[in-house]
Amino acid sequence: MGERVWLREVGPRDGLQNEPGVIATEIKVELVERLMDAGVRFIEVSSFVHPKWIPQLADADEVFARIRRRPGVELSALVPNERGLARALAAKVDAVHVFMSASESHNLKNINKTIAETYPVLRPVIEGAKAEGLVVRGYVSTVFGCPYEGKVPVSQVLSVVERLLELGVDEVALGDTIGVAVPTQVAEVVREVERIVPLDRVSLHFHDTRGMAIANLYAGFVAGVRQFDGSIGGLGGCPYAPGASGNVAMEDVLYLLHGIGAETGVDAERYLDVVAWLEGKLKKPLSSHARQVARSACQAT
């Protein structure tokens, strides 16, 4: 198809925050540097949430300080409030990601605030980041379904997206937090969201709980979206979404997109080398289809 697609690697943040143990800082730094060497140009490195809530990412400041930056690579972080923004600015992040949910119950579980109470918290973060010339992304979780409320009305999603845009975010990332979406639903949501924001400001973030992530990603591509999140090895989950499994594996995303002729700028073979390296560091097999195929090929030889 010859289409250009922009991929954001969320494994260092969304993936590692869900690992049962704390990963050494030097492994996190090397992971980001290896991903950059493989051609990944957008990487969500860590989170400036209070360490009490996510101890796996307590070293965010040190990780950013130790990474050897590459020209043309955007290193971003999740930022929950003004205190987190101060840390993010000191760490010289390239982009700030704020987050909230489309469902009231998940928002309360995740950040202990109602949807209405969340906007005043996010406003100074967005404004402060924009004042520093940073790109701001607004994550909207539970777009396609909530673990507590079930299906989320599209009108509710649009209301949250519209408010985030009014607050000044540059792009919105629509998240299938618990992995319940199907392709027709993805197409419908994208179609409705396009009524209020151009699709070049929309990204899709899928979890693979029911094995639908790749199909949903392709449905988003067909609907016109050209920005997608993925996580190395399919790592990830959500501590406030019971039963949610990992993100769509970036190596499987690369197989799909390169197979249909899309351009990503990522070297798939070098990326698979990073997957194998990380598998060794985590001391467990990673479950992506692409990694399983590569592992089988190595065993066969």
Side-chain angles (χ1 to χ4, degrees):
M1 295 182 179
E3 293 276 2
R4 184 68 169 90
V5 175
W6 287 264
L7 299 176
R8 184 178 306 280
E9 171 64 58
V10 299
R13 194 278 301 176
D14 201 3
L16 297 186
Q17 78 172 17
N18 286 283
E19 287 300 290
V22 175
I23 308 301
T25 301
E26 57 266 24
I27 293 176
K28 295 174 182 175
V29 172
E30 186 171 354
L31 172 59
V32 172
E33 293 181 345
R34 283 174 176 263
L35 290 168
M36 291 191 288
D37 290 341
V40 181
R41 290 293 170 261
F42 298 90
I43 304 174
E44 192 174 66
V45 173
S46 194
S47 170
F48 289 99
V49 175
H50 195 288
K52 177 176 69 174
W53 301 116
I54 307 181
Q56 293 91 335
L57 302 180
D59 58 353
D61 312 79
E62 186 178 356
V63 170
F64 269 96
R66 290 171 58 176
I67 292 170
R68 291 170 293 178
R69 306 286 181 115
R70 309 283 198 277
V73 177
E74 180 188 283
L75 301 181
S76 57
L78 211 61
V79 176
N81 49 38
E82 288 184 275
R83 182 175 296 179
L85 177 63
R87 291 176 61 201
L89 294 178
K92 295 181 167 42
V93 303
D94 299 312
V96 163
H97 296 173
V98 298
F99 57 98
M100 62 181 300
S101 304
S103 62
E104 200 74 68
S105 300
H106 187 264
N107 207 68
L108 281 166
K109 288 281 186 180
N110 198 24
I111 55 180
N112 200 32
K113 288 180 175 55
T114 66
I115 288 175
E117 290 168 342
T118 303
Y119 299 126
V121 176
L122 297 186
R123 178 190 290 276
V125 177
I126 295 168
E127 291 178 348
K130 298 287 287 183
E132 296 295 326
L134 300 181
V135 173
V136 181
R137 167 189 251 210
Y139 273 113
V140 185
S141 301
T142 62
V143 166
F144 302 93
C146 171
Y148 310 104
E149 298 177 17
K151 189 170 182 179
V152 178
V154 179
S155 59
Q156 203 164 304
V157 175
L158 296 179
S159 174
V160 172
V161 168
E162 201 160 31
R163 188 72 182 106
L164 286 173
L165 292 168
E166 289 171 356
L167 290 175
V169 301
D170 297 290
E171 64 178 59
V172 290
L174 308 177
D176 183 16
T177 310
I178 56 173
V180 294
V182 295
T184 50
Q185 185 185 11
V186 172
E188 176 195 3
V189 169
V190 170
R191 185 170 60 248
E192 291 299 312
V193 168
E194 190 178 14
R195 291 171 44 222
I196 61 173
V197 58
L199 292 185
D200 61 3
R201 298 177 63 189
V202 174
S203 183
L204 293 174
H205 179 111
F206 293 113
H207 287 242
D208 203 30
T209 311
R210 291 164 178 79
M212 291 285 102
I214 280 289
N216 288 332
L217 189 146
Y218 184 64
F221 180 89
V222 171
V225 178
R226 293 295 180 268
Q227 297 185 72
F228 302 99
D229 294 356
S231 175
I232 186 165
L235 293 173
C238 179
Y240 302 101
S245 67
N247 296 274
V248 64
M250 185 66 87
E251 54 269 34
D252 292 341
V253 174
L254 292 171
Y255 181 82
L256 167 67
L257 293 175
H258 292 172
I260 63 175
E263 299 176 7
T264 67
V266 180
D267 185 321
E269 290 304 315
R270 293 190 71 177
Y271 190 95
L272 276 171
D273 290 341
V274 184
V275 179
W277 169 84
L278 183 60
E279 194 172 74
K281 294 298 182 182
L282 296 180
K283 296 181 172 57
K284 69 176 186 179
L286 298 177
S287 60
S288 69
H289 296 288
R291 177 56 189 152
Q292 291 180 52
V293 169
R295 194 185 300 116
S296 298
C298 289
Q299 292 170 349
T301 56

